[in-house]
Amino acid sequence: MRANDQSSSTPKTNKPVVEQHIPIKNVKIHGSKNTGKERYKPGDQIYVRKVSGFFQKLRQRMNLVYFAFFLMLPWLQFNGHQAVLFDISEQRFTIFNLTLWPQDLTLLAWFFILGAFLLFFVTTFLGRVWCGYMCPQTVWTFIFIWFEEKIEGTANQRRKLDGQKMTSNKVIRKTLKHSAWLLFSLFTAMTFAGYFSPMQDLFVDVFTLDTSVMMAGILAFFTFATYGNAGWMRETVCLHMCPYARFQSAMFDKDTLTVAYDAERGEGRGARGRKQDHKAMGLGDCIDCNLCVEVCPTGIDIRNGLQYECINCGSCVDACSGVMSKMNYPQGLIRYTTEHELKGKKVHLVRSKLIGYAVLLVIMSTMLLLEIVNRVPLSLDIIRDRTELARENFNGEIENVYTLKILNMSQTDNTYKLSVKGIENTLWHGKQEVLVEAATVYTLPISISVDPYELEKYMSNITFVVEQVSPESDARIEQESRFFNKR
């Protein structure tokens, strides 16, 4: 009854229901000139504008040293051989007077671990300076951009050229640019291959068209890899392919030096005359010239805050510093700084995280150095005769046959003396003093015989000893084996 009363008391209406919409307004973020556009699309062409300044000069000089080092290192000779050669076919890595073999895998592991922790230490302290100043992808990208500037002109000229229809001028410039890229990529591939194959022979074979099919394939692969990475993909490699960009945040803290925009000083942004009082106009120091975006090789706007795409190259710092000088404003609107400094807090350059990495670096460097110093450049492999473990010779002695493989891991020809211990009154049948050439394996078949009365068990432990006698050295190695009695 109550339900009927309630329903009957409800007024009935035939008016249509009108939906209400909330009005949406597009808002410009931080005064950006790219309203309504994404800040970056993988398919976008980034025309990097040339900029000069302290950090660009520093980067260019570091790139020059790095490239010269990469270029000249495989040409260096040391003691009559290539100073640096990673000969994979011979399973031998030569680094000046140090030769590493598969037996030295732990040394290579230490090198890689030490390099990783050094990168962690630098990143915690200075952010992604490796990416901005030393990474091969960045170095080669800026070299390719230099070719672009010399052949096609400035960023605006390159943008205008790409927007034009295909003309003879455009065809000539594009052909010259891509030809220069390909030739430089081939030169890079040949230099890189020189680290793994004798450099002088490689260049002679290439210019006489006498390379093997495998080497030709390797050179072609690295040529087009360099051409694609530095010429076409560029920032895509940094943003989407490099794993370092993804896990760098785990090493950052609020005292890490990174390139940052001082929003408190720069906002609000806006154009103004150089002689106008921008403070009276309610404006900050940023004139919204967008130069910091135009010079960025990854196409980001540093004014939007810390972004994983930033490679800390300092291009935006130099661009902004130039604008601040022209406007007679203080330097440092965009600068290398820390999050704590931007917030007016105390900066701790020496902190627990940094100390931890430094301690680990010292420990690992010490262990690596000790392993190199205590490394014996000598190896011995013992192969027993599997067809007959033991036999009785014509003198009634028990004889075991072995094949000794002596590896001289040094870079000089050495003479070694061989002996055996573990059983009294053994007789050695074969050479006991051999000359082994540098970085080679000497195979020596020998046999050991013993009077059966000296053998108490069916199997006895013996130790082969190899000692270097010429040139005089304390290089010595011992290797254990077994001696079997005849049942």
Side-chain angles (χ1 to χ4, degrees), residues 45 47 148 151-152 157-164 166-182 227 232:
Q45 173 70 35
Y47 298 90
E148 276 188 336
I151 296 172
E152 295 184 354
Q157 290 173 334
R158 298 198 299 272
R159 186 182 290 107
K160 183 179 179 181
L161 182 66
D162 287 346
Q164 293 176 355
M166 195 60 66
T167 60
S168 58
N169 176 60
K170 184 174 181 178
V171 170
I172 292 172
R173 290 183 182 274
K174 292 294 181 182
T175 302
L176 285 175
K177 181 184 76 170
H178 289 284
S179 298
W181 282 1
L182 282 170
Y227 172 74
W232 291 94

Side-chain angles (χ1 to χ4, degrees), residues 380 404 406 414-421 425-436 442-449 463-470:
L380 173 65
L404 307 182
I406 306 163
N414 300 327
T415 301
Y416 300 101
K417 180 180 179 182
L418 297 92
S419 59
V420 66
K421 63 181 181 179
N425 301 319
T426 57
L427 294 176
W428 183 288
H429 303 281
K431 294 182 180 179
Q432 280 195 272
E433 194 168 293
V434 295
L435 173 65
V436 184
Y442 188 94
T443 301
L444 177 66
I446 59 109
S447 64
I448 305 294
S449 63
T463 303
F464 287 90
V465 181
V466 182
E467 299 174 282
Q468 183 176 325
V469 293
S470 178

Side-chain angles (χ1 to χ4, degrees), residues 250-310:
M251 291 168 273
F252 278 26
D253 56 36
K254 295 185 178 181
D255 290 306
T256 300
L257 280 169
T258 58
V259 174
Y261 166 69
D262 192 343
E264 185 175 348
R265 172 186 157 188
E267 300 300 321
R269 308 175 200 168
R272 80 292 303 271
R274 187 164 56 180
K275 296 182 179 180
Q276 289 180 297
D277 185 0
H278 62 288
K279 299 295 183 183
M281 299 170 62
L283 298 174
D285 285 357
C286 179
I287 67 172
D288 205 17
C289 62
N290 225 39
L291 279 179
C292 55
V293 180
E294 294 178 14
V295 300
C296 179
T298 58
I300 65 170
D301 190 340
I302 194 64
R303 296 170 296 181
N304 292 335
L306 180 63
Q307 299 150 72
Y308 79 89
E309 298 96 334
C310 178

